[in-house]
Amino acid sequence: MSEKVGGNNINYVICCNGRSGSHLLFSLLKNTGIAGNGLCEKMHERHIEEAQIDWEKKDVKKFIEEIFESGRTPNGVSGFSLKGRQLRHFAHVLQRSKRHRGMSEEDILSCFPLLNIRYIWLTRKNKVEHAVSWLKAEQTAVWWVKRGEGEKGMRKNPIFDFGGIVGRMVEFERREKKWKKFFEKNGIFPLRIEYEEYVKDFKGTVVKILEYLGVPLPASLEISPDFLKQADAVSQDWVRKYHEISTGKKRYYCYVRCVKRVQSFFCLVSDEWERRSRLYGRFLRRLQQVKGTLRLSTVIAKAEIKSRNEGSYLGVLWYLLNPLLMFSLLLAVFSPRLGRDILQYPLYLLLGIIMFNFFQQATTESTRIIRHNDKLIKSVNFSKAALVAAMILKTLFSHACEMALFVLIALFFKVSVVGAIFPYFLILILFCLFCFGVSLILSALTVYFIDMENVWGFAVKLLWFATPVFYGTGGQSRLFLMNLSNPMYYFITAARDVVVYRHNPEPWVLAGAVFYSLLSLGVGVFTYNKLKAQFAEMI
Amino acid sequence: MGRIVVDKISKQFKIGCTKKQSALGGFLSLFSGTGPTRVIWALREVSFTIGHGEIVGIIGKNGSGKSTLLRLIAGIYDKTCGGVKTWGKVVSLINFRLGVHQYLTMRDNIYFISSFLGLSRKETAGRLDSIVRFSELEDFLDAKMYQFSEGMRQRLVFSIAVHSCPEILLLDEVFEVGDREFQAKSAYIIKELVAGGAAVVLVSHNLDLIEKYCGRAIWLEDGRMKGVGPVVEVVEKYKESV
């Protein structure tokens, strides 16, 4: 583990782009014997591919910890160089797995251990020489020459390519900007080393880095680079040629501009892809948040249900008492008059009561939920929507108990409800969304208007009488027209059609249920998001 | 690399007050239940940085904005202006209530509270023994919370908080709970967290405690930062001022 107790380990990353002298710098550090002794490029494309890691099972954080651990010197120092290109490749490899889908380059960097990590930002001031170095290495396939190895055979003789140099320069600038953005965004102050400066003074650079890392300097410091400088007469000739063309001849200006434009177009396209990938990542993160909220709301709901029934002799039977009493009373009073023309009136009435009960319980409790949890809200930062969602889940539990009672009574009246379970389930989902939306609005508004609890109690009573729970709308066109603007009418009618009368609800009834559930959810989420920031200070 | 960066942060509250009102205004206030309000600045342009492995104390008189600052760092309050940025998991222990369910067992409450501190059920199950052992409440795992004393409850909540792997731990007058032995254990685990790279922010009126554990201190007065620096210097200046 890199995050050892005692914090003695020191991790460092040399952030750079290709051909900026990272191998040379790393070899200087490695040869001191006190600044890591592993591979220079631990996240090189080849190493990543060859490792054949199953990213469905492997955690990125763990992987990064492991690569820091490999190659740690006895004094606890470890590091490696990381190029923008390698980071991008690593992100692509990770994105192939379901577990890391949507993971961006920034997400990978955020997995680096925060403890004792130091960033060294290696750049080249002279962009022309940088681009020439890359192009020459690419053409000859000689990327480095080790001390004592002699000259390597070139794959082919290098050919001057003006467009290639311009293209590389644009690319390097873009990658450098990305590192800069990463450092700024994360409040990192890296040690900036310029290639041109450090090749003049190896020892000074190594001392500067060791001091930055907080590694005590030994009495004698051995400085021996493993690599030779590759810039030669050909490189100098190419640099000269580039300057001649770009400054001397007019027709080449157009060429330079053209190449730069094409290059920046591709950069734009590539940036657009990255932006989309970031958006996708953000979407996945949002999804994770929703998942987290649901998980938390399940925990709260379970605790609430358990807490309510703890020590109770009748337990869940209490859930049934209220609808049962209401049902018996209304059936006795209204059955001979209002229920005469309604088919299966007892079931019609009971389902109406159960559905309305759900709405009443969920929404009434939502007016208290934020204030009741004031200590918690003032102490911990968590999604307050989880409290509202938990209340819906809790009400869903009592609804399930009430529906069990309904099934028993339906069996008594010789009505089978087995085939109605699935369609009712779909209607219940819409109904839950509707109740959740209304509850979100009420929970947020009650924080600002304390009277909302009383107002809502009154409004629910009115709605109870306005909704055809114990009466029907048949033959009363005015009542029917009034109920078209009552959301509860659609949900109760659809549920009765499916469960009591065993036929599909009318399309307009279904459309009304979908419309009101989406409307309520949309308005609820909007209102809640607008008002939630002040919850902690208003309660 | 910083764990917490607070940049010129300010926080404004509207509080109730007595004010001369018209007859109609007074009548409406009587019925609406809302009275006149005035604006107060709980914090004004406070800036500082806290790095990893640091324990920083916040001192000041009552009403100087210490708890408000802690809540702003935790993201509980929304800032009026300025900025605050944190790197790592923030766990705030501002009071010991934390939604404890009186009629549930200690085991149920551990799972319940842990879920608010960002632990999954599986993670909590893995740490259950350690939480119980640390809080020294092994014999009460299946006892109901209403049977617990205040001290037992505080030990339990503190134990859950430090076992939830905080990278930034915010403690508001809740550090030294329990007996001497438990306090020593708490200090040890806090030091372990800090050695592991966490940052701890400690709000307290107990200056000895601040001097004992913190490396740096921030002194707030009337919402403004009066001093920041090595703990001994800041505490000394604060003592001179009161």
Side-chain angles (χ1 to χ4, degrees):
Chain A
M1 292 288 290
S2 56
E3 296 198 21
K4 258 184 190 172
V5 174
N8 293 324
N9 288 345
I10 296 169
N11 305 313
Y12 69 90
V13 182
I14 303 174
C15 305
C16 56
N17 290 315
R19 308 301 294 168
S20 50
S22 59
H23 272 91
L24 181 59
L25 183 64
F26 189 77
S27 76
L28 290 172
L29 290 168
K30 190 175 166 181
N31 291 340
T32 60
I34 52 170
N37 56 15
L39 285 172
C40 173
E41 294 184 316
K42 287 173 182 167
M43 281 169 95
H44 191 281
E45 293 92 323
R46 201 181 61 240
H47 298 319
I48 298 287
E49 295 289 353
E50 278 175 2
Q52 291 188 338
I53 295 164
D54 182 0
W55 291 108
E56 296 295 351
K57 289 175 189 160
K58 188 92 180 177
D59 183 52
V60 186
K61 259 189 181 173
K62 190 96 189 139
F63 172 74
I64 290 169
E65 273 178 12
E66 281 169 10
I67 59 174
F68 270 118
E69 280 314 301
S70 64
R72 195 177 287 288
T73 40
N75 62 342
V77 182
S78 177
F80 61 91
S81 81
L82 180 62
K83 297 186 173 100
R85 190 196 71 234
Q86 293 167 355
L87 197 60
R88 193 170 186 165
H89 169 262
F90 188 43
H92 284 305
V93 170
L94 288 178
Q95 281 165 8
R96 282 183 222 147
S97 67
K98 268 187 195 167
R99 181 175 176 165
H100 301 100
R101 196 158 290 162
M103 196 152 193
S104 65
E105 292 164 42
E106 267 186 41
D107 295 332
I108 297 171
L109 289 169
S110 69
C111 291
F112 278 60
L114 283 168
L115 173 72
N116 291 339
I117 191 147
R118 308 276 190 275
Y119 289 91
I120 299 160
W121 188 16
L122 185 59
T123 56
R124 274 182 90 148
K125 212 187 316 184
N126 193 329
K127 295 286 177 282
V128 182
E129 282 180 7
H130 193 178
V132 165
S133 169
W134 177 280
L135 206 67
K136 200 171 136 241
E138 200 176 39
Q139 288 187 14
T140 57
V142 179
W143 292 90
W144 64 77
V145 180
K146 276 199 171 175
R147 191 175 285 273
E149 270 191 358
E151 275 199 8
K152 276 187 179 179
M154 289 182 187
R155 192 173 61 189
K156 64 173 186 177
N157 285 330
I159 301 161
F160 177 73
D161 174 8
F162 181 75
I165 294 173
V166 174
R168 284 287 145 216
M169 281 166 67
V170 174
E171 182 63 21
F172 286 143
E173 271 172 24
R174 190 174 143 267
R175 285 184 188 171
E176 225 157 72
K177 269 184 201 162
K178 274 181 118 178
W179 278 122
K180 196 177 168 204
K181 210 171 141 191
F182 163 70
F183 294 133
E184 282 174 358
K185 199 176 168 190
N186 293 287
I188 298 167
F189 304 100
L191 174 70
R192 193 164 180 174
I193 302 281
E194 276 179 349
Y195 173 81
E196 286 81 0
E197 298 301 318
Y198 100 74
V199 288
K200 283 182 201 160
D201 180 14
F202 286 154
K203 192 170 182 179
T205 308
V206 170
V207 169
K208 200 170 155 187
I209 294 174
L210 291 177
E211 278 175 356
Y212 171 69
L213 296 178
V215 178
L217 294 175
S220 64
L221 197 62
E222 196 189 324
I223 302 295
S224 56
D226 282 350
F227 299 94
L228 291 175
K229 199 178 174 188
Q230 279 177 269
D232 54 12
V234 178
S235 314
Q236 283 171 10
D237 187 44
W238 281 17
V239 172
R240 188 182 50 75
K241 269 186 188 166
Y242 170 84
H243 285 302
E244 265 178 24
I245 292 167
S246 58
T247 53
K249 292 175 186 174
K250 219 175 178 182
R251 65 192 165 107
Y252 281 109
Y253 271 132
C254 302
Y255 180 60
V256 172
R257 270 207 299 270
C258 198
V259 171
K260 278 194 171 177
R261 269 193 195 157
V262 171
Q263 190 82 17
S264 50
F265 168 75
F266 281 112
C267 286
L268 271 179
V269 171
S270 141
D271 283 348
E272 176 61 19
W273 274 109
E274 262 185 53
R275 196 181 67 81
R276 283 187 183 193
S277 145
R278 270 205 302 276
L279 279 177
Y280 182 54
R282 210 178 299 160
F283 168 73
L284 285 183
R285 273 196 291 276
R286 187 89 191 131
L287 210 65
Q288 284 290 331
Q289 277 174 7
V290 173
K291 227 169 122 183
T293 305
L294 276 176
R295 200 182 300 138
L296 185 59
S297 58
T298 315
V299 174
I300 302 170
K302 267 187 196 168
E304 289 277 337
I305 293 166
K306 219 170 171 182
S307 185
R308 185 181 160 174
N309 297 324
E310 199 68 46
S312 162
Y313 290 105
L314 289 179
V316 289
L317 286 180
W318 285 114
Y319 291 101
L320 310 178
L321 213 61
N322 176 31
L324 203 60
L325 279 175
M326 180 75 91
F327 169 67
S328 313
L329 192 75
L330 292 176
L331 190 69
V333 176
F334 296 118
S335 182
R337 294 171 198 168
L338 298 171
R340 228 178 9 214
D341 305 327
I342 298 171
L343 205 64
Q344 295 285 10
Y345 182 71
L347 295 182
Y348 174 96
L349 175 65
L350 185 58
L351 193 60
I353 291 171
I354 289 173
M355 293 287 281
F356 201 90
N357 242 5
F358 185 102
F359 176 75
Q360 189 176 15
Q361 270 181 35
T363 54
T364 310
E365 222 165 300
S366 71
T367 56
R368 304 176 200 129
I369 196 88
I370 302 290
R371 282 184 182 274
H372 275 199
N373 289 286
D374 56 344
K375 292 271 185 322
L376 190 63
I377 291 170
K378 274 180 170 289
S379 186
V380 190
N381 184 16
F382 68 100
S383 167
K384 268 65 83 183
L387 292 170
V388 182
M391 206 182 47
I392 299 289
L393 291 178
K394 197 177 101 181
T395 318
L396 209 54
F397 176 76
S398 63
H399 181 75
C401 296
E402 289 170 4
M403 281 310 283
L405 174 75
F406 178 86
V407 172
L408 286 177
I409 293 177
L411 283 176
F412 179 76
F413 286 101
K414 291 179 182 152
V415 174
S416 166
V417 290
V418 178
I421 291 171
F422 181 68
Y424 178 70
F425 187 68
L426 294 179
I427 292 163
L428 190 62
I429 290 173
L430 289 175
F431 192 45
C432 284
L433 291 179
F434 171 72
C435 293
F436 181 62
V438 176
S439 301
L440 277 179
I441 299 170
L442 289 169
S443 63
L445 287 181
T446 319
V447 175
Y448 292 82
F449 313 110
I450 192 118
D451 296 337
M452 188 52 84
E453 194 179 332
N454 298 321
V455 171
W456 187 248
F458 181 67
V460 167
K461 261 196 191 107
L462 277 183
L463 195 66
W464 160 259
F465 289 110
T467 309
V469 176
F470 55 90
Y471 58 85
T473 52
Q476 302 181 71
S477 56
R478 219 171 68 184
L479 194 64
F480 172 73
L481 287 172
M482 261 172 59
N483 263 298
L484 287 180
S485 57
N486 175 6
M488 287 301 290
Y489 174 75
Y490 296 92
F491 295 106
I492 291 181
T493 308
R496 278 170 178 159
D497 284 347
V498 167
V499 181
V500 181
Y501 302 121
R502 307 292 310 281
H503 64 73
N504 290 334
E506 299 279 338
W508 63 269
V509 173
L510 263 185
V514 172
F515 171 74
Y516 276 111
S517 54
L518 293 181
L519 180 75
S520 151
L521 190 68
V523 177
V525 170
F526 177 78
T527 316
Y528 170 82
N529 281 338
K530 279 272 166 202
L531 302 177
K532 70 177 177 185
Q534 304 275 312
F535 283 1
E537 51 196 90
M538 295 290 287
I539 51 178
Chain B
M1 199 165 161
R3 281 276 189 204
I4 306 167
V5 176
V6 176
D7 183 27
K8 289 185 179 173
I9 203 159
S10 300
K11 179 68 191 168
Q12 191 187 63
F13 287 114
K14 279 180 186 164
I15 60 162
C17 65
T18 49
K19 200 167 142 187
K20 267 195 173 179
Q21 278 184 294
S22 65
L24 181 66
F27 182 76
L28 287 174
S29 294
L30 187 70
F31 279 94
S32 64
T34 57
T37 55
R38 71 184 166 95
V39 165
I40 60 152
W41 287 92
L43 281 177
R44 277 260 175 141
E45 298 204 329
V46 173
S47 301
F48 59 86
T49 307
I50 298 175
H52 60 250
E54 258 197 295
I55 308 184
V56 176
I58 300 180
I59 55 173
K61 291 176 193 163
N62 279 333
S64 57
K66 303 184 297 294
S67 299
T68 305
L69 180 59
L70 229 53
R71 287 194 173 107
L72 283 165
I73 296 171
I76 296 167
Y77 283 166
D78 207 19
K79 62 194 184 296
T80 306
C81 52
V84 57
K85 199 161 183 190
T86 53
W87 286 271
K89 181 180 171 184
V90 183
V91 170
S92 53
L93 204 53
I94 292 169
N95 63 53
F96 282 118
R97 292 284 160 204
L98 270 183
V100 171
H101 274 261
Q102 302 287 353
Y103 291 96
L104 291 188
T105 61
M106 178 176 134
R107 186 195 301 272
D108 289 333
N109 269 294
I110 291 174
Y111 282 105
F112 183 69
I113 297 167
S114 301
S115 59
F116 281 97
L117 302 182
L119 292 184
S120 67
R121 198 174 168 80
K122 204 173 156 189
E123 284 169 328
T124 311
R127 288 163 207 192
L128 188 71
D129 286 344
S130 178
I131 292 171
V132 175
R133 212 179 313 119
F134 184 85
S135 57
E136 300 164 3
L137 296 166
E138 292 98 325
D139 298 335
F140 305 96
L141 193 54
D142 293 307
K144 302 267 169 60
M145 285 304 284
Y146 69 85
Q147 294 163 319
F148 281 47
S149 71
E150 192 60 32
M152 287 160 87
R153 197 173 303 165
Q154 287 179 357
R155 283 196 330 244
L156 176 67
V157 174
F158 187 84
S159 176
I160 298 170
V162 291
H163 279 86
S164 62
C165 288
E167 285 168 306
I168 296 169
L169 185 62
L170 310 172
L171 303 171
D172 189 357
E173 301 280 8
V174 290
F175 187 43
E176 288 206 324
V177 295
D179 52 25
R180 277 181 171 239
E181 203 183 323
F182 188 78
Q183 283 172 13
K185 250 182 8 177
S186 307
Y188 177 75
I189 202 163
I190 292 286
K191 279 178 188 163
E192 281 239 307
L193 284 173
V194 169
V200 178
V201 185
L202 201 61
V203 166
S204 182
H205 287 289
N206 185 344
L207 298 177
D208 293 337
L209 184 130
I210 295 279
E211 277 191 300
K212 192 171 157 190
Y213 295 111
C214 304
R216 278 196 304 145
I218 295 164
W219 170 18
L220 292 178
E221 196 169 289
D222 296 331
R224 289 182 191 273
M225 207 159 75
K226 202 80 191 286
V228 60
V231 67
V232 182
E233 285 174 25
V234 178
V235 169
E236 199 60 41
K237 279 182 195 165
Y238 176 64
K239 277 179 183 168
E240 282 168 16
S241 78
V242 289

